[in-house]
Amino acid sequence: MGSIDVAPATEAPNAFVGKVPYWKDATFYQIYPASFQDSNGDGWGDIPGVLQRIDYLADLGVDVVWLCPIFDSPQADMGYDVSDYTKIYAPYGTIEDVDALISACHQRGMKLILDLVVNHTSIEHAWFKESRSSKTNPKRDWYIWKPARYDANGNRIPPTNWRSYFAGSTWTWDELTQEYYLHLYAPEQPDLNWDNAETRQAIYRDTMHFWLKRGVDGFRIDTVNKYSKRTDYLDAPTTDPTSPYQPAPEMWCNGPRIHEFIQEMNHEALAPYNAVSVGELSNTPCPTQVLPYVSAAAKELDMVFEFSTIRLGTGDGFGAKYIYNPFPLTRLKHLTEKWTTFIEGTDAWATVFCENHDNGRAVSRFGDTSTRELWARSAKTLALWQTTMTGTLFLYQGQEIGMVNMPPSWGMEEYKDIESANFYAEAVKSGDPARVQATVRGLQILARDHSRLPFQWDDSPNAGFAREGARPWMRVHDNYREINVARQLEDPESVLEFYKKALRMRKTYRDVFVHGVFRLLEPESESLFVYVKGADSQLSGRRALVVMNFSADAQPCPDVARTLKCDERSVVLLSHTLGSGATVEDGVLQPWEGRVYITGD
């Protein structure tokens, strides 16, 4: 059997040929700007810092840069509370800096998309200030206001018993106008009323058009399926007897007018600019619910993020979200299969991701960080898993160097996220020590804070994220001298160099990996993750076999030629995770070893 370490740099023979949108073949790279690169020593990452690192992204193999929220904001939720969509939060830079970043991306053949947050604004947004100024203000109906209810003792209570994603009620009382306003997240994030046509047109005009005209190539659209709420405003059933507020996503996810709104958004703002769109689609676990959003014929969104896989280990998303639930490999495999194959036979498209700004680090959750060797091996194996999956690939900053979660030794004072703080405070308030302990343990694995630590560029003070003497807004990880870009660039066997090779392999054989069909093998194994990828729906053309050992023990390797039903001489070992000097044994997979074999023309 022939053997090569990486895909050839040239186009593979008989590779996928066909006119497809660029974003299907693209690798997107998500940047959390506060934590990527500080250019001026204030401890806060910024857009000039991204510009300083633009060639690093191009060299990695990035096609599209996705920038998390940079708009003006009081930062109650790290920019997901926008006070002005046409201004940049000053610590990030200026509009001219964004223009320069757009130009720099385009000059290198890359594109730039921004994070669009239009389910809600900040309480400091001019629209909300007008809305709360009086009940007769023309913008009163741009947000969702309701009168109080009263209990049997005459006490004022919110209009419904809905629980916020950030704990507490979804309703906040406004003394001036003597009504409650709705906020699915923090009280500082009031929900816009999408049932008001004027509101929708203002969103398209004053947010989307403004940036698309400046050359932005599209948007990641936050909370995209929460714009249409049920308007009967009923109480949710009591599922958490310990709280007066109950989870109620069925009241605001995938509501009665949601597809009307998204089609209108596409027609009014996205389509005229040929802008790419990827929506955040939470609480939508059924493919039949997801397909209408991403069917090409429906003309809504190009792609969505469905979160079943990345949420593995979390609780119910509300009160028990951070009570960690261990999961078997079979569950990970089942979800991978479900959300890879759901587009087969349709005109829809899928996304591939295992990290983002709202979750713990993938290698800490799905890999093995017990030793340095297993950390490196598992990070590379996770890279193989991601780069061989069907759909558009999304990487999160630091994933490519194997950044890990905060050390368990760090105290709660290092957790800066509003969600982490609120869930921890809620546990403490319960007076239940076991709940507090379980919540802390869950946060150590799952908290959003882990992905927001400063990027680790080198072994200089502050990991090269900020100059010496600066005080980063979040503590730099203790391991930055061992895990950083500079060190990995000097090591041809590093996680970073492996990602570069894997990304080249993915593009060279995009007919198999990006566009190919997926067939899971060994579905009941709790150690092996094995699947066939094929270049057509009958698996009769070029095929790849991906075999990965998701355990710290050696495992038997399937017979490759027999599995692929081909002559052994036609099989090529395209990639493996052991390194160039290692011996690859035909019948044995080493702990956390991954391989990709390819055959067929």
Side-chain angles (χ1 to χ4, degrees):
M1 181 159 49
S3 175
I4 57 174
D5 286 333
V6 294
T10 56
E11 187 71 10
N14 300 322
F16 176 80
V17 176
K19 188 175 182 180
V20 298
Y22 77 88
W23 43 265
K24 288 190 175 183
D25 291 327
T27 295
F28 285 63
Y29 186 95
Q30 181 185 359
I31 289 179
Y32 200 72
S35 301
F36 192 63
Q37 179 66 68
D38 169 22
S39 71
N40 59 7
D42 65 357
W44 189 267
D46 46 46
I47 300 165
V50 177
L51 276 162
Q52 289 177 9
R53 300 295 186 175
I54 197 71
D55 287 326
Y56 166 80
L57 300 177
D59 183 59
L60 176 61
V62 170
D63 301 296
V64 183
V65 176
W66 155 23
L67 211 56
C68 282
I70 53 173
F71 307 133
D72 207 10
S73 167
Q75 301 295 319
D77 182 22
M78 290 302 295
Y80 285 89
D81 50 318
V82 179
S83 55
D84 192 328
Y85 294 98
T86 63
K87 292 182 180 178
I88 303 301
Y89 180 55
Y92 285 138
T94 65
I95 285 182
E96 289 72 28
D97 290 329
V98 179
D99 291 340
L101 182 58
I102 294 170
S103 178
C105 287
H106 290 174
Q107 288 171 11
R108 291 161 177 79
M110 299 188 294
K111 298 182 184 296
L112 178 71
I113 68 171
L114 301 182
D115 221 309
L116 182 69
V117 187
V118 288
N119 174 72
H120 46 266
T121 69
S122 165
I123 56 174
E124 298 301 321
H125 196 288
W127 297 346
F128 187 71
K129 288 182 176 180
E130 285 194 54
S131 184
R132 78 186 311 181
S133 66
S134 75
K135 290 183 180 179
T136 59
N137 187 278
K139 287 188 173 60
R140 180 65 170 186
D141 193 43
W142 284 35
Y143 294 82
I144 299 171
W145 296 90
K146 295 294 175 186
R149 296 187 298 175
Y150 294 88
D151 63 18
N153 297 319
N155 298 310
R156 186 184 72 228
I157 59 174
T160 68
N161 68 343
W162 301 350
R163 177 192 168 96
S164 162
Y165 283 100
F166 289 166
S169 174
T170 59
W171 299 95
T172 288
W173 178 252
D174 181 64
E175 282 290 343
L176 179 63
T177 57
Q178 296 288 292
E179 283 191 324
Y180 285 91
Y181 65 85
L182 179 71
H183 52 88
L184 300 185
Y185 295 91
E188 294 87 353
Q189 295 169 287
D191 277 46
L192 287 158
N193 179 16
W194 276 71
D195 284 316
N196 185 314
E198 288 185 3
T199 307
R200 300 197 305 274
Q201 289 302 316
I203 289 168
Y204 308 147
R205 180 184 64 248
D206 298 340
T207 67
M208 303 177 76
H209 282 270
F210 179 86
W211 289 105
L212 290 167
K213 287 177 181 177
R214 299 193 80 92
V216 166
D217 298 290
F219 301 100
R220 176 269 189 181
I221 306 176
D222 188 63
T223 59
V224 76
N225 61 329
K226 296 175 182 174
Y227 303 159
S228 175
K229 277 78 170 176
R230 282 180 50 174
T231 56
D232 45 5
Y233 293 99
L234 302 175
D235 274 348
T238 299
T239 55
D240 180 2
T242 68
S243 173
Y245 307 117
Q246 302 301 313
E250 68 277 8
M251 302 296 180
W252 60 70
C253 285
N254 310 309
R257 299 183 67 188
I258 190 62
H259 293 292
E260 172 194 344
F261 294 160
I262 304 304
Q263 287 170 9
E264 182 184 80
M265 173 190 280
N266 182 291
H267 181 267
E268 296 284 334
L270 295 168
Y273 295 88
N274 195 29
V276 65
S277 58
V278 54
E280 181 189 33
L281 202 70
S282 62
N283 299 109
T284 312
C286 298
T288 54
Q289 292 177 293
V290 175
L291 284 169
Y293 287 96
V294 290
S295 164
K299 299 185 185 303
E300 294 191 21
L301 300 167
D302 294 321
M303 303 169 280
V304 295
F305 296 127
E306 196 287 325
F307 293 108
S308 295
T309 303
I310 203 172
R311 296 289 195 221
L312 276 171
T314 62
D316 61 4
F318 291 90
K321 179 176 182 178
Y322 288 111
I323 307 300
Y324 182 67
N325 293 309
F327 56 90
L329 177 62
T330 48
R331 179 65 178 158
L332 176 65
K333 294 192 294 187
H334 166 72
L335 290 172
T336 299
E337 178 183 38
K338 177 180 179 179
W339 293 109
T340 301
T341 61
F342 86 104
I343 62 172
E344 290 182 9
T346 76
D347 63 351
W349 193 242
T351 54
V352 183
F353 67 105
C354 65
E355 281 201 31
N356 65 18
H357 63 296
D358 281 338
N359 293 275
R361 289 290 183 175
V363 72
S364 295
R365 298 176 58 212
F366 306 119
D368 189 334
T369 59
S370 60
T371 69
R372 182 169 180 80
E373 181 182 18
L374 292 181
W375 158 78
R377 284 191 179 188
S378 63
K380 292 176 184 180
T381 296
L382 293 179
L384 271 192
W385 169 43
Q386 292 294 284
T387 56
T388 58
M389 297 305 300
T390 302
T392 297
L393 177 62
F394 288 78
L395 300 179
Y396 180 74
Q397 66 180 48
Q399 180 178 344
E400 76 277 16
I401 61 170
M403 285 182 65
V404 301
N405 281 356
M406 296 177 180
S409 59
W410 287 13
M412 282 304 302
E413 70 276 4
E414 303 295 350
Y415 290 72
K416 308 299 184 184
D417 178 46
I418 184 174
E419 186 175 70
S420 299
N422 286 2
F423 273 75
Y424 177 69
E426 187 177 50
V428 171
K429 187 178 179 180
S430 74
D432 181 356
R435 180 177 173 184
V436 174
Q437 184 178 21
T439 300
V440 170
R441 173 58 179 156
L443 289 169
Q444 288 173 344
I445 301 170
L446 304 167
R448 307 197 301 181
D449 304 79
H450 299 298
S451 62
R452 303 177 183 189
L453 296 187
F455 193 96
Q456 294 162 210
W457 292 104
D458 55 42
D459 61 2
S460 66
N462 292 323
F465 161 73
R467 67 184 62 157
E468 185 173 3
R471 184 174 181 180
W473 75 280
M474 285 194 79
R475 179 176 172 179
V476 174
H477 201 291
D478 296 343
N479 68 8
Y480 75 90
R481 292 181 180 87
E482 289 74 45
I483 301 177
N484 62 67
V485 168
R487 180 168 181 168
Q488 294 192 24
L489 285 173
E490 296 174 351
D491 178 5
E493 307 296 343
S494 69
V495 174
L496 175 59
E497 292 302 321
F498 186 84
Y499 259 98
K500 290 181 182 180
K501 295 171 186 177
L503 291 173
R504 290 198 299 270
M505 177 187 73
R506 176 177 175 82
K507 289 182 179 179
T508 300
Y509 295 90
R510 63 188 187 274
D511 58 328
V512 177
F513 299 128
V514 179
H515 299 273
V517 296
F518 172 98
R519 293 294 177 265
L520 180 67
L521 306 177
E522 307 273 0
E524 302 305 319
S525 173
E526 295 295 359
S527 300
L528 294 178
F529 196 166
V530 184
Y531 48 88
V532 174
K533 292 296 299 294
D536 63 32
S537 59
Q538 287 77 41
L539 292 176
S540 59
R542 189 195 316 280
R543 286 160 293 145
L545 176 66
V546 182
V547 290
M548 299 176 290
N549 180 3
F550 269 56
S551 80
D553 299 310
Q555 300 291 334
C557 183
D559 186 298
V560 178
R562 183 179 300 172
T563 304
L564 289 174
K565 299 178 181 178
C566 65
D567 189 306
E568 182 178 302
R569 290 170 295 182
S570 70
V571 178
V572 172
L573 177 58
L574 193 61
S575 178
H576 65 82
T577 58
L578 292 184
S580 58
T583 300
V584 178
E585 300 180 55
D586 281 348
V588 179
L589 285 170
Q590 296 302 314
W592 283 102
E593 180 187 354
R595 304 177 192 172
V596 178
Y597 297 90
I598 198 157
T599 186
D601 292 322

